[in-house]
Amino acid sequence: MRSEERVLGIVETARAKRPRFRDELVTMAHGAGGKASQTLIEGMLLPELGSAALAELGDAGAIEVDGVGMALTTDSFVVRPIRFPGGSIGELAVNGTVNDLAVSGARPLALTVSLVLEEGLPATELRAEVEAIAAAAEAAGVEVVAGDTKVVERGRCEKMYVCTTGAGRLDPRASLSTRAIEPGDRVLVSGPVGAHGTAIMLARDDLGLEAEVASDTRPLWPAVEAMLEEAGPHLRCLRDATRGGVASALNELARASGVAVQVGEGEVPVAPAVAAAAELLGIDPLYIANEGVLVAFVAPEGAAAALAALRSAPGCGEAAEIGAVLDEPPGMVFAETGFGGRRVMDLLAGDPLPRIC
Amino acid sequence: MRSEERVLGIVETARAKRPRFRDELVTMAHGAGGKASQTLIEGMLLPELGSAALAELGDAGAIEVDGVGMALTTDSFVVRPIRFPGGSIGELAVNGTVNDLAVSGARPLALTVSLVLEEGLPATELRAEVEAIAAAAEAAGVEVVAGDTKVVERGRCEKMYVCTTGAGRLDPRASLSTRAIEPGDRVLVSGPVGAHGTAIMLARDDLGLEAEVASDTRPLWPAVEAMLEEAGPHLRCLRDATRGGVASALNELARASGVAVQVGEGEVPVAPAVAAAAELLGIDPLYIANEGVLVAFVAPEGAAAALAALRSAPGCGEAAEIGAVLDEPPGMVFAETGFGGRRVMDLLAGDPLPRIC
């Protein structure tokens, strides 16, 4: 156990390190989920909007209505192209939002969908995405209860942007927080990493690579519910490893809890086609976006049960324990390489993969 | 009272008239709140996504969580320019969303904010909008509990698009429905119409007109709460008269309830500068968007109390009774002109004012 002073010291260090937003212009990097995004969020949005729910920096905000605990989350999707192997923007928008609820320990209940459409969009493409939204909502067990549609002039968006917001009921078995992670906790991932971002890159014309990689987009509530049932009290924190991949998720949580995270590079499941594409592109698969992979921090005594529960969930058969939590240096994530070495896995400064979600 | 068969007959007529979406391309008109929008919503989105909450065609969808009645609503804001006399996109996004909750009889509680930013946006402009969001949320008494930021390449949006989603608690004093309007009900508006759309038009460089018109953007929950307190059981339906203005709101509700609405043209409050600009532009102020004006349908015995309550609310001192509900022809709205004549006020087919919200 860390002493109270120790905890306060860490919190103060983290506070002192809150980044300031000093950039003069918004750049693509501010939307990429790395350091620039963090600076925008923590250096401008949080101080201005600062509610307790936002300051938690979770995937969803918690609210209480007449004693009922709920979670709300929102995401805009601007993925290019809108259709790719394994999914499309409509399916992604539903799964991305229900997953943010799921990793917050909330059963997804209802969605709202707001569309910004480009003038000239073929009606068939719109209909296909509306169908994809309906199918994904049904698969995830949520109802679309409100919507909005705007149209902007040709060129002022790219086919469509989709904003989905989800409401969920906080599950009483969960007590998750970005600040709850303790030294000794184990780190699990729910499946092979990097498929979504790789599929998007390959789907873009400009790369000239060909490989059979499909997005991993899927709803994660079944995986979360299985873990809650088998290891509920031992779960510290869950996160959907989307933009910036598993490495960025680990960095955000290491920082929020004031702990270090050590990952065994060889323990991380990566599909061979993803590994090959990532090597050609010179990108570490741990930094590539996923849309159906979560990271779980679990107390050591619950790790085996949580891993077994994860593996029983649809699409999570290859879940693995990939690392553990250390007490210092606070906020740092490092990988143990296969040769007994260590390397720091920091947040990326730049933007290797714009608009993957 | 209409007989049960009569009600069923009307519902069936309305159903039979559900428009089909036959257009090949999305056009600006599909986002304008008139006939083309209705065709898109009722001809494609509802049949595909069709939940009971959506089919109500209200400003917000109702959900029940552990016995607690809540409302959810979402809107994307793509207004051009982002700053205009009387407001800006950030303030509009908050007020627009809390107002959709308010007119659904729900006290606004929490908001989510999702930003799509254009690469190259000056940070000062972003900060100004984040501040506007924070100030408007505080004024409306809601907390921003979750957010998201995406960045798209230069030109792929125009400075910023803002999607706000609101959650509210349904007020037990309210029992509002788009289908509850009865012949004999009175129609109230909460203030002078057409200011927002006129302010936006004048703010655009391309018109060459000059007049002192400021947007009416404001939160409407205080007005709704005052009416609930003084005339709660008599309120049938409320609607925020945004895109398409008061005329479109009346059309949507006349159709949903299977009734006719008669408006006394001379009863509708219009500020002189708005009336003058509208005349120059050749647009009826009843079709111009508002961002702080609601339409209320009230049983005759509650109309005076509701009007007095409205007039006591901030910004609603010029609230007025503008018309009444007739039993037929179902779905029709008409204006009584000053000369004893009548003209039909149909939904507009086209798009006189793109991107006003």
Side-chain angles (χ1 to χ4, degrees):
Chain A
M1 289 290 282
R2 292 171 294 166
S3 73
E4 193 71 347
E5 297 89 69
R6 180 75 200 288
V7 173
L8 285 174
I10 288 167
V11 170
E12 272 160 23
T13 308
R15 274 199 198 127
K17 280 187 185 163
R18 168 171 281 188
R20 293 202 186 175
F21 188 81
R22 297 180 192 277
D23 300 325
E24 287 188 11
L25 298 176
V26 171
T27 64
M28 294 303 290
H30 291 116
K35 274 186 185 161
S37 295
Q38 188 188 61
T39 306
L40 173 61
I41 294 166
E42 296 184 31
M44 182 195 290
L45 302 179
L46 282 187
E48 293 292 349
L49 301 174
S51 66
L54 272 181
E56 167 81 0
L57 287 171
D59 281 307
I63 60 170
E64 199 177 288
V65 184
D66 283 7
V68 175
M70 299 189 56
L72 286 181
T73 187
T74 191
D75 263 306
S76 281
F77 291 82
V78 299
V79 64
R80 174 171 61 82
I82 63 170
R83 299 232 129 202
F84 43 82
S88 70
I89 192 170
E91 184 181 357
L92 205 62
V94 172
N95 288 341
T97 292
V98 298
N99 288 349
D100 281 343
L101 293 173
V103 297
S104 304
R107 177 189 296 275
L109 294 177
L111 279 186
T112 67
V113 177
S114 186
L115 303 173
V116 175
L117 305 177
E118 184 184 10
E119 178 187 23
L121 175 71
T124 50
E125 295 192 47
L126 174 57
R127 189 179 291 276
E129 293 316 311
V130 177
E131 287 171 357
I133 288 168
E138 194 181 342
V142 295
E143 208 179 23
V144 177
V145 298
D148 180 49
T149 309
K150 295 282 164 27
V151 182
V152 295
E153 297 85 354
R154 209 176 282 265
R156 293 305 188 184
C157 89
E158 233 175 318
K159 292 187 185 277
M160 67 177 75
Y161 302 150
V162 181
C163 181
T164 39
T165 303
R169 173 75 171 94
L170 285 169
D171 190 297
R173 292 169 293 183
S175 167
L176 307 171
S177 166
T178 55
R179 295 169 186 167
I181 300 165
E182 296 276 345
D185 288 353
R186 301 293 190 266
V187 184
L188 315 181
V189 293
S190 65
V193 306
H196 176 73
T198 305
I200 296 293
M201 283 188 288
L202 296 176
R204 288 184 187 157
D205 294 329
D206 43 343
L207 282 166
L209 280 177
E210 275 190 46
E212 299 257 323
V213 178
S215 168
D216 60 341
T217 180
R218 74 168 60 81
L220 286 169
W221 174 249
V224 172
E225 192 168 36
M227 283 194 292
L228 286 174
E229 187 58 32
E230 301 300 331
H234 303 298
L235 298 184
R236 310 280 203 205
C237 184
L238 308 176
R239 180 151 292 201
D240 192 16
T242 56
R243 271 187 292 182
V246 167
S248 301
L250 296 180
N251 266 280
E252 288 160 17
L253 297 175
R255 201 158 159 275
S257 280
V259 295
V261 175
Q262 170 182 291
V263 173
E265 213 168 38
E267 310 304 319
V268 181
V270 189
V274 170
E279 186 156 347
L280 274 170
L281 295 161
I283 304 177
D284 183 341
L286 280 162
Y287 286 92
I288 301 179
N290 313 281
E291 290 290 340
V293 173
L294 61 78
V295 173
F297 285 80
V298 192
E301 59 273 28
L307 182 58
L310 259 186
R311 286 183 172 160
S312 73
C316 301
E318 294 178 63
E321 183 175 319
I322 62 165
V325 177
L326 307 178
D327 58 357
E328 54 184 20
M332 184 166 287
V333 180
F334 52 89
E336 292 199 309
T337 62
F339 311 101
R342 267 188 170 191
R343 64 185 174 84
V344 173
M345 292 206 308
D346 203 356
L347 278 183
L348 293 189
D351 185 9
L353 306 170
R355 292 180 58 190
I356 46 72
C357 62
Chain B
M1 290 290 284
R2 291 169 294 164
S3 72
E4 193 70 348
E5 299 88 71
R6 180 75 199 290
V7 173
L8 284 173
I10 288 167
V11 170
E12 272 158 24
T13 308
R15 276 200 197 125
K17 278 187 188 164
R18 167 170 283 188
R20 294 203 186 174
F21 187 82
R22 298 179 192 277
D23 300 325
E24 287 188 11
L25 299 176
V26 171
T27 65
M28 293 304 289
H30 291 117
K35 274 186 186 161
S37 295
Q38 188 189 62
T39 306
L40 173 60
I41 292 165
E42 297 184 32
M44 183 195 290
L45 302 179
L46 282 187
E48 293 292 348
L49 301 174
S51 66
L54 272 180
E56 169 80 0
L57 286 172
D59 281 309
I63 61 169
E64 200 177 289
V65 184
D66 283 7
V68 175
M70 299 189 57
L72 286 181
T73 186
T74 191
D75 263 307
S76 282
F77 292 82
V78 299
V79 63
R80 174 171 62 82
I82 63 170
R83 300 231 130 203
F84 43 82
S88 69
I89 192 170
E91 183 181 358
L92 205 63
V94 172
N95 288 343
T97 292
V98 299
N99 288 350
D100 282 342
L101 293 174
V103 296
S104 304
R107 176 189 296 275
L109 294 177
L111 279 187
T112 66
V113 177
S114 186
L115 305 172
V116 175
L117 306 176
E118 184 185 10
E119 178 187 21
L121 175 72
T124 50
E125 294 191 49
L126 174 57
R127 189 180 291 277
E129 293 317 312
V130 176
E131 286 170 359
I133 289 168
E138 194 181 342
V142 294
E143 207 180 23
V144 177
V145 299
D148 181 49
T149 310
K150 294 283 165 27
V151 182
V152 294
E153 296 85 354
R154 208 177 282 267
R156 292 306 188 183
C157 90
E158 232 175 319
K159 292 186 185 276
M160 68 177 74
Y161 301 150
V162 181
C163 180
T164 40
T165 303
R169 173 75 171 95
L170 285 168
D171 191 297
R173 292 168 293 184
S175 166
L176 308 170
S177 165
T178 55
R179 295 168 186 167
I181 300 164
E182 296 275 346
D185 289 352
R186 301 293 190 266
V187 184
L188 315 180
V189 293
S190 64
V193 307
H196 176 73
T198 306
I200 296 292
M201 282 188 288
L202 296 176
R204 290 185 186 158
D205 294 329
D206 44 340
L207 283 167
L209 281 177
E210 275 189 48
E212 301 257 323
V213 178
S215 168
D216 59 342
T217 180
R218 74 168 59 82
L220 286 169
W221 174 249
V224 173
E225 193 168 36
M227 283 194 291
L228 287 174
E229 187 58 32
E230 301 301 331
H234 303 298
L235 299 184
R236 310 279 203 205
C237 184
L238 307 176
R239 179 150 294 200
D240 192 16
T242 56
R243 271 187 292 182
V246 167
S248 301
L250 297 179
N251 266 280
E252 288 159 17
L253 296 176
R255 201 159 161 274
S257 280
V259 295
V261 175
Q262 169 181 294
V263 173
E265 211 167 41
E267 309 304 319
V268 181
V270 189
V274 170
E279 185 155 349
L280 274 171
L281 294 161
I283 304 177
D284 182 341
L286 280 163
Y287 286 92
I288 301 180
N290 312 281
E291 290 290 339
V293 173
L294 61 78
V295 174
F297 285 81
V298 192
E301 58 273 29
L307 182 59
L310 258 186
R311 286 182 172 160
S312 73
C316 300
E318 295 177 64
E321 182 175 320
I322 63 166
V325 177
L326 307 179
D327 60 357
E328 54 185 19
M332 185 166 286
V333 180
F334 53 89
E336 291 198 311
T337 63
F339 311 101
R342 265 188 172 192
R343 63 185 173 87
V344 173
M345 291 207 306
D346 203 355
L347 277 183
L348 292 190
D351 184 8
L353 306 171
R355 292 181 56 191
I356 46 73
C357 63

